[in-house]
Amino acid sequence: EVQLVQSGAEVKKPGESLQISCKASGYSFSTYFIAWVRQMPGKGLQWIGIIYPSDSDTRYSPSFQGQVTISADKSISTAFLQWSGLGSSDSAIYYCARLYARKLDYWGQGTLVTVSS
Amino acid sequence: QSVLTQPPSASGTPGQRVTISCSGSSSNIGNNAVSWYLQLPGAAPKLLIYSNTQRPSGVPDRFSGSKSGTSASLAISGLQSEDETDYYCAAWDDSLNGLVFGGGTKLTVL
């Protein structure tokens, strides 16, 4: 059974760094893209970017380029989303999902990130 | 401002058939397959339709998708109370080289 299990909710202060994770199981992690999607409170879905774990090929939406870093560790079948300096506008739920044939067929449960002073 | 355009709301009565539209452009829907996602309150989105018309296993055949040109539609027949939730369309965008989403449609079962 394909599963994506994300790390727990985070509460951070503005300017702090953060890394959240997405652990995959039930399939060959290296050979499928992992996507990250943001959902701000009460809003729709926004594409952040994708990574191909086999070679760490990473692509970002122009809206998120330079704002976040996507990475993956094949040895532990885990993808990561990282911020070096959070802002209040980063408060949102972040989902990882498996990208296959340009569709998101399996999703993680989401990680709530709250940035507040 | 979402790249794909969906109506913010839709409604129907139990047993009725409702459709939700999704409009895009030649760089996304016009040239790529559309997928639809359902998101129950407090839950992660779930794939509902892919490749314009295909249903993943476990999705009832009450749900169907179609595409024509730069627009797509999700149809739900035999509307049930548990269908009341948010629906999103998505398609790959060749210009952005990523997936773009509609703003979401909140379906109300009256």
Side-chain angles (χ1 to χ4, degrees):
Chain A
E1 178 196 8
V2 174
Q3 281 194 311
L4 297 173
V5 179
Q6 298 185 230
S7 50
E10 301 274 1
V11 180
K12 292 289 188 179
K13 290 182 167 50
E16 290 187 331
S17 62
L18 175 64
Q19 180 177 265
I20 62 175
S21 65
C22 169
K23 183 169 177 59
S25 61
Y27 73 98
S28 176
F29 176 71
S30 293
T31 57
Y32 289 83
F33 280 92
I34 289 285
W36 286 95
V37 176
R38 182 175 80 175
Q39 187 168 39
M40 300 180 77
K43 301 297 183 182
L45 306 172
Q46 296 175 281
W47 177 262
I48 297 173
I50 52 173
I51 187 165
Y52 190 64
S54 178
D55 60 5
S56 290
D57 177 26
T58 309
R59 307 170 201 176
Y60 297 92
S61 162
S63 300
F64 291 91
Q65 179 82 47
Q67 308 305 309
V68 296
T69 302
I70 296 171
S71 61
D73 185 337
K74 290 185 294 187
S75 69
I76 54 172
S77 299
T78 302
F80 302 94
L81 181 64
Q82 181 181 327
W83 295 260
S84 58
L86 287 159
S88 57
S89 62
D90 294 316
S91 294
I93 298 175
Y94 293 85
Y95 295 102
C96 65
R98 191 178 79 165
L99 179 69
Y100 173 61
R102 295 181 170 181
K103 66 182 182 293
L104 300 173
D105 59 353
Y106 292 93
W107 294 68
Q109 82 277 20
T111 296
L112 175 63
V113 174
T114 303
V115 183
S116 175
S117 54
Chain B
Q1 187 84 358
S2 301
V3 175
L4 306 181
T5 301
Q6 295 179 238
S9 63
S11 63
T13 56
Q16 202 174 25
R17 181 178 186 271
V18 297
T19 60
I20 297 172
S21 62
C22 176
S23 177
S25 68
S26 57
S27 66
N28 42 67
I29 294 178
N31 205 35
N32 294 289
V34 175
S35 52
W36 290 88
Y37 303 86
L38 166 158
Q39 186 176 29
L40 293 170
K46 171 189 166 185
L47 181 64
L48 191 63
I49 296 286
Y50 66 96
S51 296
N52 306 321
T53 61
Q54 304 301 300
R55 288 185 307 275
S57 61
V59 173
D61 60 6
R62 301 189 296 107
F63 295 90
S64 62
S66 63
K67 178 184 128 173
S68 178
T70 59
S71 295
S73 291
L74 172 70
I76 309 171
S77 60
L79 200 61
Q80 300 179 5
S81 57
E82 55 260 40
D83 299 332
E84 182 168 291
T85 192
D86 296 327
Y87 295 85
Y88 294 89
C89 62
W92 194 264
D93 190 289
D94 295 328
S95 299
L96 296 177
N97 200 21
L99 206 64
V100 290
F101 294 96
T105 297
K106 184 174 186 62
L107 176 63
T108 300
V109 180
L110 303 169

